[in-house]
Amino acid sequence: MSTRDAIRTFLWNSARDAQRTLRGKPLALVPLAGATLDRRDVAIASAWRDRPDRWLDPEPVRAYERAFARWNASRHAFAFGKGRVALSGIISAMGLGPGDEVIIPGFTCVVVPNAFRFAGVTVRFADIELDTYGPSVDAIRRLVSARTKAVLVHHLFGLVCLDYDRILDLCHTRRIRVIEDCAHATGARYRGQRIGHFGDAAFYSSEHSKVFSTVQGGMATTNDPELARGLAEFQRSSSPLDPGTLSRLLRTCRKDYLTNAHPHRALIRHPAALCMSSSAVASTTADEVRGNRPDNYRLSLAAPLAELGLSQLSKLDSLNARRRRQAAKWREWAEERGYGAPWIAPESEPVFLRYPLTVPAAVKRRPRVIEEELGVECGVWFTSPLHPSPERVEGCPNAYTAVETCVNLPCLVPE
């Protein structure tokens, strides 16, 4: 963002806040992302900025992997620079490549099909169901062929997907690998066990809009020793983050805290955003949206971000409990207004990264109506089936229904 654009944005946001104050509305909307950070996290990021000589130290990364594996009850955990890189590691460990097909939900982020396409794998899109926005087992069954080597199951918005058991049974019967996309659902449980253990491997994201934040980062887990060896090899051949980008990510930690989590963020968020705009690092580049592989795609996780992950992990269970309490309030509010609330699978414990609602298309086109009523930021994930890419996805009518009618609310609302 140019200086002129930053100043223009600052003035526009300040004028909007002044208008909201005159109307008796809360000064700052409760944000969708970044609210997991606190002063301790900022102190960690600041301390590491002054120690560039230790940025390549492997021990904090190993400690973070051990802690995540212990917390998640996984036999093996491997940290990467992004969740999509963790997925790429799983693809490599499974030996997937040209001539193979994978079935994934037709309602996801574009980086998910990209990871398979970058490896030469043919992607087939299965439509979703509209109760949890998970892949439909019937849609998957229609797409299975002799070339199908894997199925990706996601747990969108932190919900355990509706057809979980039936998809697992189908894949087990056909000897098809199952990859679990837990990017939205770190910590969710099914039948007393954390999700990610029911398939062959799983990946998680700690990008700042996810359940916990290392600003950018990802994790791959498996209980299969053969896949673990493949993931370890993929990790060893990954590249470290360049120092300039890492420095900006550490500054972004402070920016995210000041603009999204600070007790007085209503007063300081716009000045902080203006002063620190140069530290912004795009999670998904324009090239990735167009389906092109970035030069710096295959990244390992840096030591400073690993220590930030350890801090975040220590409070993740309490944060997820807060999300569940808020989700119960959103359900009651949605029912009073006739909006569609998500389905909760029996024996599941969602984490509610966001609370998805089915609303009239006109409401999604004007989400500010909800923001004005509730004083929270209203999310529009997803604006296309392969968000944010405009690429068309054939044979997925439910995905397009969700694009038109699904909005989502933050669940880390002050109690």
Side-chain angles (χ1 to χ4, degrees):
M1 180 184 293
S2 68
T3 302
R4 179 179 294 179
D5 288 341
I7 293 172
R8 185 183 293 117
T9 300
F10 168 72
L11 294 174
W12 189 91
N13 287 333
S14 298
R16 184 187 63 179
D17 279 356
Q19 187 179 46
R20 287 177 58 82
T21 303
L22 290 172
R23 292 177 180 175
K25 302 292 184 180
L27 181 62
L29 300 176
V30 174
L32 286 161
T36 67
L37 297 168
D38 59 22
R39 287 189 176 90
R40 177 186 172 191
D41 300 316
V42 175
I44 289 170
S46 297
W48 274 100
R49 281 188 62 198
D50 297 331
R51 294 297 310 273
D53 56 305
R54 291 194 57 212
W55 285 358
L56 297 181
D57 184 354
E59 183 47 39
V61 180
R62 300 288 87 83
Y64 175 42
E65 291 171 337
R66 290 192 296 268
F68 190 92
R70 200 162 46 244
W71 174 84
N72 204 46
S74 302
R75 291 183 185 175
H76 309 280
F78 300 88
F80 293 95
K82 293 184 179 182
R84 69 204 68 172
V85 183
L87 170 58
S88 293
I90 292 171
I91 293 167
S92 176
M94 289 184 173
L96 303 178
D100 296 330
E101 290 184 358
V102 63
I103 299 171
I104 73 172
F107 187 66
T108 186
C109 181
V110 68
V111 302
V112 174
N114 278 354
F116 290 100
R117 289 167 172 169
F118 295 161
V121 180
T122 299
V123 176
R124 306 288 301 278
F125 293 104
D127 203 6
I128 59 170
E129 38 76 18
L130 293 172
D131 291 310
T132 67
Y133 307 94
S136 160
V137 67
D138 294 329
I140 291 173
R141 187 178 288 111
R142 288 192 292 269
L143 294 173
V144 170
S145 72
R147 296 174 62 191
T148 304
K149 295 299 187 292
V151 168
L152 184 139
V153 178
H154 69 198
H155 305 281
L156 219 55
F157 304 115
L159 300 162
V160 176
C161 78
L162 172 66
D163 288 343
Y164 199 17
D165 277 333
R166 294 196 292 164
I167 294 170
L168 291 167
D169 289 344
L170 171 66
C171 292
H172 178 74
T173 301
R174 304 289 184 93
R175 296 189 177 183
I176 297 170
R177 295 276 204 177
V178 175
I179 301 170
E180 293 194 61
D181 178 350
C182 303
H184 287 197
T186 307
R189 293 180 181 271
Y190 184 60
R191 295 182 175 172
Q193 190 174 16
R194 295 199 197 275
I195 58 163
H197 293 288
F198 295 86
D200 295 280
F203 67 98
Y204 307 77
S205 174
S206 54
E207 188 263 345
H208 79 146
S209 69
K210 301 304 190 297
V211 181
F212 69 121
S213 173
T214 59
V215 187
Q216 285 186 5
M219 189 75 72
T221 65
T222 186
N223 296 322
D224 182 322
E226 182 180 348
L227 291 180
R229 284 191 288 272
L231 280 163
E233 175 59 33
F234 186 88
Q235 187 188 60
R236 279 193 294 271
S237 62
S238 297
S239 303
L241 197 62
D242 70 89
T245 300
L246 179 53
S247 180
R248 290 199 302 276
L249 289 175
L250 293 174
R251 289 199 299 272
T252 298
C253 176
R254 181 176 181 83
K255 173 179 172 289
D256 282 352
Y257 170 67
L258 293 174
T259 58
N260 295 324
H262 193 281
H264 304 300
R265 65 185 178 82
L267 299 175
I268 64 175
R269 65 191 183 113
H270 294 320
L274 177 63
C275 294
M276 306 180 74
S277 60
S278 62
S279 68
V281 179
S283 174
T284 303
T285 65
D287 263 357
E288 285 181 278
V289 173
R290 290 190 290 267
N292 300 320
R293 188 181 189 274
D295 292 335
N296 60 343
Y297 182 79
R298 190 165 164 170
L299 294 172
S300 55
L301 190 72
L305 304 184
E307 188 165 336
L308 188 57
L310 280 167
S311 171
Q312 289 276 291
L313 196 61
S314 69
K315 57 191 172 186
L316 187 49
D317 288 333
S318 63
L319 290 172
N320 285 343
R322 277 181 56 193
R323 288 185 170 98
R324 284 188 287 272
R325 290 194 293 270
Q326 183 60 45
K329 297 176 184 178
W330 287 145
R331 173 175 288 275
E332 182 179 346
W333 177 85
E335 289 173 349
E336 290 174 355
R337 283 150 184 79
Y339 294 154
W343 183 83
I344 310 301
E347 301 183 82
S348 76
E349 187 179 59
V351 297
F352 293 108
L353 169 63
R354 298 184 181 185
Y355 193 81
L357 296 172
T358 302
V359 301
V363 174
K364 179 158 187 178
R365 288 193 294 269
R366 296 185 66 250
R368 195 170 296 176
V369 173
I370 293 177
E371 293 181 340
E372 289 293 327
E373 178 180 352
L374 298 176
V376 302
E377 186 179 355
C378 183
V380 292
W381 277 355
F382 293 136
T383 56
S384 64
L386 304 184
H387 182 85
S389 168
E391 178 183 346
R392 295 285 303 177
V393 175
E394 302 300 328
C396 296
N398 283 349
Y400 281 95
T401 297
V403 165
E404 294 175 356
T405 62
C406 179
V407 299
N408 24 91
L409 303 177
C411 288
L412 284 183
V413 176
E415 294 182 311

